[in-house]
Amino acid sequence: MPDQVFATRYSARRHRNIAASALALAATAFGLGWLVLILGALLWQGFSGLSVAVFTKMTPPPGSAGGLLNPIVGSLVLTVIAVVIGTPIGILAGTYMAEYGRYDRLTSVVRFINDILLSAPSIVVGLFIYEIMVAPMGHFSGWAGGVALSVLVIPVVVRTTEDMLALVPNALREAATSIGLPRSLSITRICYRAARAGMVTGVLLAVARISGETAPLLFTSLNNQFWSTDLNQPISSLPVVIFQFALSPYHDWQALAWTGALIITLAVLALSIGARALVSTGKQS
Amino acid sequence: MDPAGRRSVVDVALHDQAVVMAEAATRAKVLGRLRLGDAVFRHTTRAAAIGVLALLSAVIVSLIAGSVPAVRTFGFGFLLSESWNPVTDKFGALPAIYGTIVTSFIAMLIAIPVGLMIAFFLTELCPQWVRRPIGIAIELLAGIPSIIYGIWGLFVFAPFLQETLQPFLINTLGNLPWIGSLFAGPPYGIGMLTSGLILAIMVLPFITSISRDVFEAVPSVLKEAAYGLGCTTWEVVRNVVLPYTRVGVIGGVMLALGRALGETMAVTFVIGNAHRISASILAPGTTISATIANEFTEAVGDLYTSALIELGLILFVITFIVLAIARYLLLRIERRIG
């Protein structure tokens, strides 16, 4: 083949390479662009509404001023219930998978199912809790909302607990056994301590995950326009209020929805950045 | 560390108890108690692990139980019927299933190439020091709650599309034969295309982070060998990295698809909630999850509720299958990479 053909082929390949690289760069800019656009819109729209009143006043009827106190408190209450129910179950299940049954068939099945639960549609969880709690009890309630969120907490905590316990060196377990420590104590006193940073990260990630969840709350805890901490009654929550207010025709409700959205996003970002920082300091020490 | 740790645990426990009884008897007692505690702990953890399985079964069973009235009334025709009329109690799932599939398809059409290109950029092109910040920023996109995408989509993105992209599509592609009907009709802003685009942004991080992880796991020897033959970077990625990681990439794509199919809030805001099947992707439609979110609390009558629960069951079965395939593929590549 003459040299010329080689040269043109070579330059064609080079050009294709340059084009692909440029496309990759453009794709990255495209991906990051959305983050900037969304956060920018949130700050732009939500920041102006941010004031003391947001944290001290109740949700208003349309046309009057108010704040987001009851949904913020409601969200905190629901999150606490979800964490209190979901974390122990998740940690215990993760403990079994990493400590007792690491090579069991049961563990691989649970891991598989857990990974599916991790990304299962959250609206289905809402339907499930409606079926087992709301319908038999005959009314929407804060408890149902909390339990629905706990169903979302469990898989996250199971996953991180198992992963983190698997990283604990076996030498620690052997040392514990050699001084006569029973298995349960060697797990709770030695392994848990060694894996603590990672396990806390798991809980933080779970909180980040549920704090923006709306779908499972729509027909479990419903919403409450008034101040209520009675868990047998419908309770207000920030995501549901955002949903309701954003879709309303009233301008001041929409403004409050933006402010609520900003609060949730900042909380979620702070939680996930905090979780990341915790993991990286845990790795260094 | 704790100086007590150097003695045997039984001795520590004995010491803590301020022994009164004969030592041998107490020692046996403490040992027995430790053994009991051990057994209790072991079985509690096992029960919790089984509880995770029970949770999934309970979800399925409760959904099946809830959809019995609808299944009994509509039978298999539920899947194929297009009507959705709460007044006459006639329900069919076809528009919702259609909307779910179309929006997810649009999302994957955009997110797969873009996600792979970002992973290509992060693993092969970009300088080491920006790799981590960009990776984290992309993953933050995954952390933003879906309701935020929804409110942003409704107030910012949909009006923007209504004024720019949609008239453009109608005036150009809309006039073509064959595919013209896909882009027909007025620019509503909201609709299936908008939902698909927002879903694409939402699932992008899943595809990117999984493909980046599997790309990084390709043995350098393979890539170096290809470079040694004179391949360009793109050729290495195209002919060495992608074939080697194919299973993992498909796993990541399926995982993202599972997310897109089940996503609720972001779609509910911008889909338009119209129970009909339109040829145009600019038209409003509905998805399974958006239908449930919009109508469940307002559903009166057992049949209406039951029809919505059956929709939930269909959604769960679809996503379960997709996610199970995703996990299976990811498990396979994990085993190979080690």
Side-chain angles (χ1 to χ4, degrees), chain B residues 25-304:
Chain B
T26 322
R27 197 180 163 86
K29 212 165 135 190
V30 171
L31 266 175
R33 208 175 54 208
L34 289 177
R35 205 166 286 145
L36 179 71
D38 224 22
V40 168
F41 188 70
R42 188 198 162 96
H43 287 292
T44 321
T45 58
R46 198 184 152 83
I50 295 171
V52 174
L53 295 185
L55 189 62
L56 186 88
S57 331
V59 171
I60 296 173
V61 168
S62 77
L63 289 179
I64 292 176
S67 50
V68 163
V71 173
R72 217 171 259 158
T73 316
F74 305 113
F76 191 69
F78 185 71
L79 292 174
L80 302 171
S81 162
E82 220 185 305
S83 63
W84 188 270
N85 193 338
V87 182
T88 56
D89 264 353
K90 288 264 185 298
F91 301 103
L94 198 59
I97 296 175
Y98 173 80
T100 307
I101 291 171
V102 169
T103 50
S104 299
F105 182 75
I106 297 172
M108 300 324 276
L109 208 60
I110 294 162
I112 293 173
V114 174
L116 286 179
M117 283 314 244
I118 297 179
F120 165 43
F121 179 80
L122 286 177
T123 52
E124 304 293 334
L125 299 176
C126 98
Q128 196 70 43
W129 60 274
V130 281
R131 221 171 258 199
R132 235 178 90 78
I134 294 183
I136 290 177
I138 298 279
E139 277 161 36
L140 284 184
L141 263 183
I144 297 177
S146 59
I147 186 144
I148 309 299
Y149 285 96
I151 188 172
W152 176 78
L154 179 68
F155 289 118
V156 182
F157 196 47
F160 171 77
L161 288 180
Q162 189 174 21
E163 281 164 23
T164 55
L165 181 68
Q166 292 189 348
F168 172 76
L169 287 176
I170 294 166
N171 293 331
T172 52
L173 297 176
N175 298 326
L176 296 176
W178 302 85
I179 61 166
S181 57
L182 275 178
F183 303 98
Y188 289 104
I190 56 173
M192 293 204 280
L193 178 66
T194 313
S195 308
L197 290 175
I198 288 187
L199 284 178
I201 303 170
M202 291 186 70
V203 298
L204 189 61
F206 294 95
I207 297 180
T208 300
S209 70
I210 288 180
S211 353
R212 183 195 56 193
D213 291 349
V214 293
F215 282 8
E216 273 173 354
V218 176
S220 339
V221 194
L222 286 182
K223 289 196 277 187
E224 282 156 13
Y227 281 122
L229 289 174
C231 286
T232 61
T233 315
W234 171 243
E235 283 163 352
V236 170
V237 170
R238 181 75 194 69
N239 302 317
V240 177
V241 175
L242 261 184
Y244 187 84
T245 55
R246 191 175 46 217
V247 176
V249 168
I250 296 174
V253 166
M254 296 297 269
L255 195 66
L257 179 61
R259 288 281 177 154
L261 289 168
E263 178 46 50
T264 310
M265 296 323 291
V267 172
T268 305
F269 273 94
V270 292
I271 189 83
N273 204 36
H275 281 278
R276 57 168 184 268
I277 299 176
S278 317
S280 170
I281 57 168
L282 302 179
T286 192
T287 67
I288 296 177
S289 48
T291 306
I292 302 172
N294 268 321
E295 300 181 22
F296 196 82
T297 41
E298 291 155 19
V300 280
D302 286 347
L303 202 55
Y304 196 0

Side-chain angles (χ1 to χ4, degrees), chain A residues 6-268:
Chain A
F6 272 126
T8 45
R9 273 203 194 157
Y10 177 65
S11 75
R13 285 173 53 211
R14 251 188 49 187
H15 286 135
R16 210 171 302 144
N17 187 42
I18 291 170
S21 306
L23 270 179
L25 184 64
T28 311
F30 179 79
L32 292 178
W34 295 119
L35 186 68
V36 173
L37 280 177
I38 293 172
L39 291 183
L42 266 178
L43 284 173
W44 180 257
Q45 303 267 4
F47 204 72
S48 57
L50 216 53
S51 66
V52 186
V54 171
F55 299 98
T56 54
K57 293 222 172 86
M58 305 293 148
T59 44
S64 58
L68 294 167
L69 178 63
N70 46 336
I72 290 174
V73 172
S75 273
L76 290 177
V77 170
L78 291 177
T79 307
V80 169
I81 297 175
V83 169
V84 167
I85 297 174
T87 311
I89 299 177
I91 287 184
L92 286 173
T95 306
Y96 178 82
M97 291 157 74
E99 297 289 337
Y100 288 113
R102 195 177 284 195
Y103 306 102
D104 271 11
R105 195 157 180 77
L106 174 66
T107 300
S108 45
V109 174
V110 172
R111 192 181 296 137
F112 193 77
I113 296 299
N114 189 64
D115 280 347
I116 289 176
L117 279 178
L118 202 58
S119 20
S122 54
I123 188 134
V124 172
V125 172
L127 286 177
F128 165 59
I129 299 297
Y130 178 88
E131 279 287 294
I132 65 162
M133 284 185 76
V134 178
M137 285 162 77
H139 56 86
F140 300 102
S141 69
W143 286 117
V147 173
L149 291 181
S150 78
V151 174
L152 300 171
V153 168
I154 292 172
V156 182
V157 177
V158 169
R159 183 70 195 265
T160 44
T161 306
E162 196 207 348
D163 288 353
M164 291 301 146
L165 284 177
L167 291 177
V168 174
N170 267 332
L172 282 182
R173 295 189 185 96
E174 286 156 10
T177 310
S178 75
I179 59 162
L181 214 59
R183 192 80 180 271
S184 58
L185 286 185
S186 94
I187 293 169
T188 49
R189 299 288 165 80
I190 310 287
C191 298
Y192 279 178
R193 265 184 215 183
R196 188 161 50 195
M199 287 160 71
V200 173
T201 304
V203 177
L204 286 183
L205 287 177
V207 173
R209 161 105 202 263
I210 58 170
S211 50
E213 275 295 348
T214 321
L217 297 178
L218 287 175
F219 24 87
T220 50
S221 66
L222 204 68
N223 194 2
N224 197 329
Q225 218 185 320
F226 306 103
W227 173 262
S228 166
T229 48
D230 181 358
L231 289 170
N232 280 316
Q233 293 297 316
I235 193 167
S236 183
S237 63
L238 213 37
V240 177
V241 167
I242 295 174
F243 179 55
Q244 202 186 25
F245 280 18
L247 287 175
S248 75
Y250 312 111
H251 188 72
D252 41 356
W253 272 18
Q254 291 174 358
L256 268 179
W258 274 108
T259 308
L262 178 66
I263 294 173
I264 285 191
T265 310
L266 292 181
V268 169

